[in-house]
Amino acid sequence: MSYQNLLIEQDGSFLTVTINREKALNALNQQTMLELATFFGTDLPKRQDVRGVILTGAGERAFVAGADIKEFLSLEGGDGTEMAQRGHDAFFLIERAHVPVVAAIQGFALGGGCELAMACHLRIASEKAQFGQPEVNLGIIPGYGGTQRLIQYIGKTKATELMMTGDLLNAQEAYRLGLVNYVVAPGEEKAKARELLTKIATKGPLAIAHVIASVNAYFDHQTDGFAAEVANFAAVTRTADFREGAQAFIEKRAANFTGK
Ligand code: COA
């Protein structure tokens, strides 16, 4: 498939996938989500020659600054079920890829961007990277797996605080909390990701695929917190606060939430 918003480059047995919407800080619109699902669900599984993927964003400012808030107001009926479910499906395809996927994070990884980084197997952050789940500023909650994966990575205590306050973490704090594997000098993220993939590529590919599957199995609980998140995300997208949050962002003003 040809992609509008993804750049795919091959370097030996590694692919670099770049989300290419720099003017929107690589925000994940529905087209980009569709393309991520197509790449990880259809194209990558056919590529038995590929031993690893680096996922990054275009430009220096952002990995991904979240779901595309400008599309929020056109959500049909204000119900986010499909939006959240599509994001979950795409991110599970990344998490369940047969080869390692390393996020190279040069700047903002916020909302859906933090969730996308967390769906990757490993994360390399620039010293300038910033992480967070600021959805509450928009009157919503994380909808692409963030309520579940942030707890998996950094624990319930700090994850709950971050999701309630919308506060951001700098790269060193993210490293200290276990959210990222390495912090590197700005501009070195992709090189470090390639170095890591090169080491992993010396190991048995089936062994690596089974490490991925086994790690994923650890989090495969009976109670489906991901399904609960879709339902809860849908509930907040039916509120007036949701529309006010997105409208206020677009109008570059503080939101006036009413609790309705
Ligand atoms: N969706 C859509 N567009 C976005 C976006 C998003 N999530 N994040 C940034 N953009 C756009 C901005 O609207 C702006 O476009 P414009 O030039 O047409 O106005 C452009 O990207 C640059 O962003 P800007 O806000 O001007 O940059 P900044 O340096 O002042 O702030 C951020 C950077 C990341 C702090 C700020 O853009 C932001 O808070 N983004 C939203 C983060 C978020 O809430 N993500 C979760 C969404 S669920």
Side-chain angles (χ1 to χ4, degrees), residues 21-25 27-28 61 65-72 108 110-112 133-135 137-138 140-141 168 249-250 252:
R21 302 188 71 223
E22 190 176 346
K23 281 190 183 149
L25 300 186
L28 296 174
R61 297 202 54 220
D68 192 319
I69 301 168
K70 290 171 184 167
E71 280 188 349
F72 278 11
F108 293 114
L110 306 182
Q133 298 291 162
E135 287 86 349
N137 294 331
L138 300 166
I140 55 170
I141 66 170
L168 306 190
F249 175 82
I250 290 165
K252 300 184 190 291

Side-chain angles (χ1 to χ4, degrees), residues 6-253:
L6 300 183
L7 280 179
I8 319 277
E9 294 160 292
Q10 182 150 11
D11 171 13
S13 53
F14 306 135
L15 294 180
T16 298
V17 177
T18 304
I19 297 171
N20 193 25
R21 302 188 71 223
E22 190 176 346
K23 281 190 183 149
L25 300 186
N26 305 316
L28 296 174
N29 61 1
Q30 292 301 305
Q31 176 65 26
T32 307
M33 195 58 92
L34 175 74
E35 293 184 12
L36 283 171
T38 303
F39 175 78
F40 284 100
T42 307
D43 291 348
L44 182 63
K46 291 183 200 149
R47 298 291 305 272
Q48 293 304 316
D49 57 316
V50 170
R51 299 294 303 277
V53 175
I54 299 170
L55 183 61
T56 193
E60 291 176 8
R61 297 202 54 220
F63 170 70
V64 165
D68 192 319
I69 301 168
K70 290 171 184 167
E71 280 188 349
F72 278 11
L73 296 177
S74 60
L75 266 184
E76 208 168 308
D79 189 328
T81 306
E82 278 182 26
M83 178 188 169
Q85 195 59 59
R86 272 196 294 266
H88 279 223
D89 294 345
F91 287 10
F92 275 129
L93 290 169
I94 298 173
E95 191 166 71
R96 292 170 187 167
H98 69 290
V99 294
V101 181
V102 185
I105 303 151
Q106 68 278 51
F108 293 114
L110 306 182
C114 190
E115 292 170 301
L116 177 62
M118 291 193 291
C120 297
H121 304 117
L122 300 163
R123 281 154 295 285
I124 313 295
S126 152
E127 286 161 1
K128 290 187 176 170
Q130 293 193 66
F131 298 82
Q133 298 291 162
E135 287 86 349
V136 285
N137 294 331
L138 300 166
I140 55 170
I141 66 170
Y144 294 157
T147 62
Q148 306 301 294
R149 290 195 182 93
L150 193 61
I151 296 170
Q152 292 170 2
Y153 285 112
I154 71 171
K156 181 177 170 185
T157 304
K158 201 68 188 172
T160 305
E161 178 191 332
L162 290 178
M163 286 188 278
M164 286 184 169
T165 60
D167 285 351
L168 306 190
L169 293 175
N170 65 32
Q172 284 303 339
E173 289 168 320
Y175 177 74
R176 189 177 57 77
L177 290 166
L179 186 56
V180 302
N181 297 81
Y182 294 94
V183 178
V184 297
E188 295 297 315
E189 316 79 42
K190 282 192 270 186
K192 183 68 188 177
R194 196 168 295 110
E195 180 191 314
L196 211 49
L197 285 176
T198 301
K199 181 189 269 190
I200 295 168
T202 64
K203 320 298 177 190
L206 290 176
I208 298 302
H210 284 84
V211 167
I212 292 171
S214 303
V215 170
N216 289 344
Y218 180 84
F219 295 105
D220 191 5
H221 304 302
Q222 288 295 92
T223 303
D224 190 349
F226 284 99
E229 184 188 274
V230 171
N232 292 329
F233 181 84
V236 290
T237 60
R238 286 182 212 112
T239 65
D241 278 352
F242 162 64
R243 303 190 77 77
E244 166 61 11
Q247 196 70 50
F249 175 82
I250 290 165
E251 292 170 10
K252 300 184 190 291
R253 61 172 172 81

